Amino acid sequence: MPLKIKSMKCINKSVVLSICFLMMAASIFAQEIIKDTVKAKKPVVEGKRQKIDGVIATVGDYNILDSDIDKTFLELSSQGNSVKDITRCQMLGKLLEDKLYAHQAVQDSIIVTDDEVKSKMEEQTNYMVEQLGSMDKVVKYFKKTSEADFKSDLSEIIKMNKLASSMQKKIVDAVQITPEEVRTFFKKIPTTELPLFGAEMEVSQIVVMPKISEEEKQKVIDKLKEFKKEVQEGASFSTKAVLYSQDPGSSSNGGFYKMNKKTPFVKEFKDVAFSLSEGEISEPFETDFGWHIIYIEKIKGQDVDLRHILLVPKTDDKSLSEAKERILQIKKKIEDKSISFADAARTESDEKETKANGGVLINPKTQDTHFELTKMDPSLYSQVSNLKEGEISVPQIDTDQSGKKKYKLIMVTNRIEEHTADYAKDYIKIKDLALKEKQINAIAKWSDEKIKETYIKINGDYRNCEFTNNWLKK
């Protein structure tokens, strides 16, 4: 989204819809942090179950129904996921995990408010209706008897998932790792089993923004003031955002963002957002992305629900030509050795995020300076793939999703070939691996302790399942 400090590409709509649909399952089967593999001593035979939809397990205050397993299988299958190798015992093991997290979250006084659940439910419901065509189709898709039945189930699932994810986050966030632990982790890996890291590069850039005329700026400001006046007289801010906002990250959702003071939005945007009262609309203000107005929809503790409209002043041909001439002059100075690329970035670049560190780009996924070629953003890859180390690109015009234009010079400052993990060169990656291992161990230890002190009961044939976790407390 363009308002965030690190830009992100749009997610394929079908993927987002899949995520929304999976939320309707009693749990999400695959979790990154912990894998609970289970196998059955004896198959759970459908015909031998005593109840069609009885309570098959209890964890603390939460019950698991036999239909919860069927529902999860249904949702996974409906999205094209193969479930042929997933047993009912495995699915139950995952549901038990999620209920344990949620139960302990309540014990630890982790709170999920009704407003949080309602907001998330509205967001998911609106998206499902948009994709499927109507609420009736949504209700039919999820095999519910009514809209109220659908929303009641979704509300409970959202609340439990939020509790579970908050509990997991609390456990993981408490895990820290020292440099000595990283070194010990690396030394334990046999030489023949050291990970192989793909080819990478480090990239720097210099950006020149075309100047916007005062006349064009005023046109945008006047238009935003007109929107504000119309909304104050009864027009819909959301509709205005859908029709006119140039923020591709929010315009389709009526300009909606949920944020708090830790959300990585640009400073100017956050400063205005947190200076407003509920129901208030800001005056037009400027960021690097253009001009905005913000409407505060709701304030909930440290969280703010807001809508905004972004307009980007147009750049005329004369300004573009002047920007190109300026960046050509910068390129010539670098090639003539009168200034280094890094110093030119510090003194000449118009991009605040990179100029202070000599134009070096930070990988938004890893927060270091290395970009793995196979995982690089396609647009960036196309700009740097043919550059040799130390070579400067020709001036490239770049147009972002909101239509804002700029000229760039790009240089590959370092190429790193595919190689076996090296402690000195790959410390950040090795640290991440060591931290993940420590987090997995912390989760496992936490689970063992909480299973012992939590009321857990598994009924009927499911007691024949053999779990990795000691759910049966044998």
Side-chain angles (χ1 to χ4, degrees):
M1 69 185 73
L3 295 179
K4 288 196 175 182
I5 293 173
K6 300 288 183 275
S7 62
M8 298 180 70
K9 291 292 176 185
C10 294
I11 300 173
N12 184 283
K13 282 190 175 182
S14 64
V15 175
V16 177
L17 181 58
S18 295
I19 293 171
C20 291
F21 289 157
L22 289 175
M23 285 291 291
M24 281 299 294
S27 71
I28 301 172
F29 179 73
Q31 290 184 10
E32 182 182 33
I33 298 298
I34 180 168
K35 296 178 181 177
D36 181 18
T37 56
V38 292
K39 59 183 180 178
K41 291 176 181 175
K42 298 179 183 178
V44 179
V45 182
E46 302 291 339
K48 291 185 178 180
R49 270 184 263 143
Q50 295 179 347
K51 297 183 180 179
I52 297 300
D53 191 20
V55 174
I56 59 172
T58 302
V59 179
D61 297 326
Y62 292 95
N63 289 327
I64 299 173
L65 302 177
D66 208 13
S67 62
D68 290 336
I69 294 178
D70 295 322
K71 189 190 302 180
T72 309
F73 274 121
L74 173 64
E75 298 309 325
L76 288 171
S77 298
S78 69
Q79 300 311 310
N81 297 293
S82 174
V83 296
K84 65 178 182 178
D85 295 325
I86 303 174
T87 68
R88 296 186 73 83
C89 286
Q90 286 176 316
M91 199 66 82
L92 175 58
K94 199 69 217 71
L95 293 175
L96 288 165
E97 263 184 25
D98 290 339
K99 303 297 186 184
L100 180 66
Y101 287 129
H103 171 75
Q104 193 58 45
V106 174
Q107 306 308 306
D108 286 6
S109 300
I110 293 175
I111 296 173
V112 174
T113 66
D114 291 341
D115 281 345
E116 285 181 272
V117 174
K118 183 180 178 182
S119 175
K120 187 69 176 176
M121 184 169 67
E122 288 176 355
E123 180 184 333
Q124 290 189 5
T125 302
N126 289 341
Y127 192 84
M128 291 175 189
V129 170
E130 179 186 339
Q131 297 303 306
L132 295 178
S134 70
M135 176 55 75
D136 287 343
K137 290 181 179 179
V138 173
V139 171
K140 183 179 179 181
Y141 181 91
F142 289 108
K143 302 187 184 302
K144 300 299 175 183
T145 57
S146 65
E147 180 179 342
D149 182 29
F150 164 78
K151 288 187 173 181
S152 176
D153 268 16
L154 180 58
S155 175
E156 288 302 314
I157 291 164
I158 289 172
K159 184 171 184 177
M160 195 207 70
N161 284 338
K162 279 185 170 290
L163 285 169
S165 62
S166 295
M167 190 66 245
Q168 291 175 28
K169 185 175 186 300
K170 181 179 178 180
I171 300 164
V172 170
D173 286 351
V175 178
Q176 303 294 324
I177 195 160
T178 66
E180 187 56 36
E181 287 176 311
V182 177
R183 183 182 295 277
T184 301
F185 167 82
F186 185 73
K187 285 183 176 180
K188 286 192 308 183
I189 304 174
T191 304
T192 56
E193 296 178 16
L194 287 170
L196 187 68
F197 293 133
E200 299 175 318
M201 62 173 61
E202 293 180 298
V203 181
S204 295
Q205 69 181 25
I206 295 171
V207 175
V208 171
M209 303 282 194
K211 291 183 179 179
I212 306 296
S213 69
E214 291 301 317
E215 180 183 2
E216 185 59 34
K217 283 184 183 179
Q218 194 58 50
K219 284 182 183 178
V220 167
I221 293 169
D222 290 343
K223 191 68 176 175
L224 289 172
K225 285 184 175 180
E226 181 184 330
F227 290 158
K228 177 179 178 179
K229 183 173 183 293
E230 289 172 352
V231 172
Q232 289 173 330
E233 292 174 351
S236 165
F237 192 102
S238 177
T239 300
K240 295 284 185 189
V242 170
L243 293 175
Y244 301 108
S245 181
Q246 291 174 266
D247 174 13
S250 71
S251 59
S252 63
N253 292 326
F256 180 82
Y257 282 123
K258 180 186 288 288
M259 63 183 291
N260 56 49
K261 290 186 177 180
K262 293 182 179 179
T263 309
F265 280 67
V266 292
K267 182 178 184 300
E268 298 91 340
F269 192 90
K270 290 174 73 172
D271 287 346
V272 173
F274 288 102
S275 70
L276 300 172
S277 302
E278 194 169 295
E280 189 175 359
I281 304 174
S282 74
E283 289 297 317
F285 67 96
E286 188 178 18
T287 72
D288 286 343
F289 302 101
W291 286 80
H292 315 252
I293 54 173
I294 292 176
Y295 165 60
I296 301 299
E297 197 166 80
K298 186 170 289 187
I299 298 175
K300 299 177 287 188
Q302 299 298 311
D303 294 323
V304 173
D305 289 354
L306 62 83
R307 297 184 186 275
H308 91 116
I309 297 172
L310 167 68
L311 295 183
V312 180
K314 293 180 181 178
T315 306
D316 58 34
D317 292 339
K318 180 183 177 183
S319 296
L320 277 173
S321 179
E322 290 173 349
K324 184 176 181 180
E325 181 59 31
R326 182 182 156 205
I327 206 164
L328 282 169
Q329 291 173 0
I330 295 171
K331 185 174 188 287
K332 187 174 186 305
K333 288 180 186 178
I334 298 169
E335 291 174 337
D336 291 345
K337 311 280 188 201
S338 60
I339 191 171
S340 68
F341 192 99
D343 286 341
R346 292 186 185 97
T347 58
E348 303 280 358
S349 182
D350 293 331
E351 187 173 63
K352 294 178 182 178
E353 290 81 17
T354 60
K355 67 181 297 179
N357 61 345
V360 178
L361 294 180
I362 302 298
N363 188 331
K365 295 179 181 177
T366 62
Q367 296 305 307
D368 67 7
T369 60
H370 291 190
F371 289 82
E372 190 171 341
L373 268 60
T374 58
K375 298 178 182 177
M376 185 179 284
D377 182 280
S379 61
L380 178 59
Y381 180 80
S382 67
Q383 295 170 344
V384 301
S385 59
N386 294 324
L387 290 177
K388 298 176 183 177
E389 187 172 320
E391 183 182 359
I392 304 171
S393 71
V394 298
Q396 302 182 23
I397 190 165
D398 185 81
T399 305
D400 65 22
Q401 291 176 312
S402 63
K404 195 168 188 178
K405 299 179 185 296
K406 58 188 175 185
Y407 272 99
K408 298 194 300 185
L409 290 177
I410 299 175
M411 182 173 74
V412 175
T413 56
N414 188 20
R415 278 186 177 272
I416 304 161
E417 298 305 321
E418 183 179 80
H419 63 284
T420 301
D422 178 276
Y423 183 77
K425 293 179 181 178
D426 303 304
Y427 177 80
I428 292 177
K429 292 184 180 66
I430 294 165
K431 179 183 176 182
D432 288 342
L433 292 173
L435 178 60
K436 177 161 284 190
E437 181 185 71
K438 191 172 180 180
Q439 289 171 337
I440 290 171
N441 291 336
I443 287 281
K445 182 180 178 182
W446 180 92
S447 296
D448 287 344
E449 292 173 352
K450 297 306 175 185
I451 287 172
K452 290 175 184 176
E453 63 187 51
T454 303
Y455 175 76
I456 298 169
K457 184 178 180 182
I458 298 174
N459 301 322
D461 290 339
Y462 288 100
R463 293 188 61 80
N464 293 322
C465 291
E466 185 177 315
F467 303 98
T468 298
N469 287 330
N470 187 25
W471 298 112
L472 296 168
K473 299 187 179 183
K474 292 182 178 178

